[in-house]
Amino acid sequence: MDQKQIGSFLKELRKEKSITQEQLAEHLNVSGRTVSRWETGSNMPDISLLVELSEFYDVSIPEIINGERKSENMNEEVKEVAKSMSEYALAEKESMLKEIRVLSLLGLAALIIYYGIDLSGMGEGNDFFANVAMYSQTLVYVVILLIPFQATGLLNKIRRNDKNTGIPKTFLCIASIVVAFVVAVLIKLILK
């Protein structure tokens, strides 16, 4: 797959339609800079946009990926497979973003609790509030550690591996949280 060739082909297709990069970007709900990067070959269109690009330019997805026209039209089966792939990729991204949002909200809540107790002085002389503040602060560290693992897909790999190892999914999730908690406590101790 030659990105430069694909970029040149996309530029050629756009010029055949007599539209600007900005007009195409507006049609696809992306930035003009994104279209420019596609056409220079420095980036590739997201898989979820390939079906839309192929329909807009009236070319097949293999033609886009190969960076040249073929004589035959894309059959409906190939188009449906590509559309299903793009929907799957989009659903996977949305799922990951949802999990990151949940982690972020959990971390934010812990941070608010920690600072609320710390700034109000409720933790001084009251063991319960002091412990809540300490656990909230540690939870912030845990969330900070878990978000990169979620964003890079490592947590999903751990979850998928439970089928291969025979270890229950719940145990793996709890183990990853415990490990993150221990690492966060160690970081907290080192920073003191």
Side-chain angles (χ1 to χ4, degrees), residues 46-142:
D46 192 62
I47 192 169
S48 61
L49 292 173
L50 286 179
V51 173
E52 201 168 341
L53 278 168
S54 72
E55 289 175 352
F56 183 76
Y57 287 136
D58 196 26
V59 295
S60 69
I61 291 175
E63 287 175 315
I64 292 174
I65 292 173
N66 291 327
E68 61 186 10
R69 287 190 190 272
K70 300 290 183 205
S71 60
E72 56 197 58
N73 289 333
M74 180 178 165
N75 66 33
E76 286 302 312
E77 186 176 318
V78 172
K79 191 181 277 188
E80 285 303 313
V81 168
K83 190 172 186 177
S84 296
M85 286 173 48
S86 69
E87 288 170 359
Y88 176 80
L90 188 61
E92 195 170 305
K93 281 182 189 177
E94 287 174 359
S95 173
M96 185 187 333
L97 286 174
K98 181 181 176 184
E99 291 178 15
I100 289 173
R101 273 189 230 113
V102 168
L103 282 172
S104 299
L105 290 173
L106 180 66
L108 181 62
L111 190 63
I112 289 169
I113 291 169
Y114 169 72
Y115 277 117
I117 292 171
D118 189 50
L119 293 175
S120 69
M122 291 169 43
E124 297 171 14
N126 187 326
D127 287 341
F128 173 75
F129 285 114
N131 285 333
V132 169
M134 180 187 70
Y135 288 126
S136 296
Q137 184 183 26
T138 305
L139 184 58
V140 170
Y141 291 132
V142 169

Side-chain angles (χ1 to χ4, degrees), residues 157-173:
K157 286 181 183 177
I158 290 170
R159 290 178 188 156
R160 280 188 226 124
N161 280 343
D162 71 328
K163 294 175 186 166
N164 300 335
T165 61
I167 300 171
K169 183 177 182 178
T170 307
F171 177 78
L172 286 172
C173 288

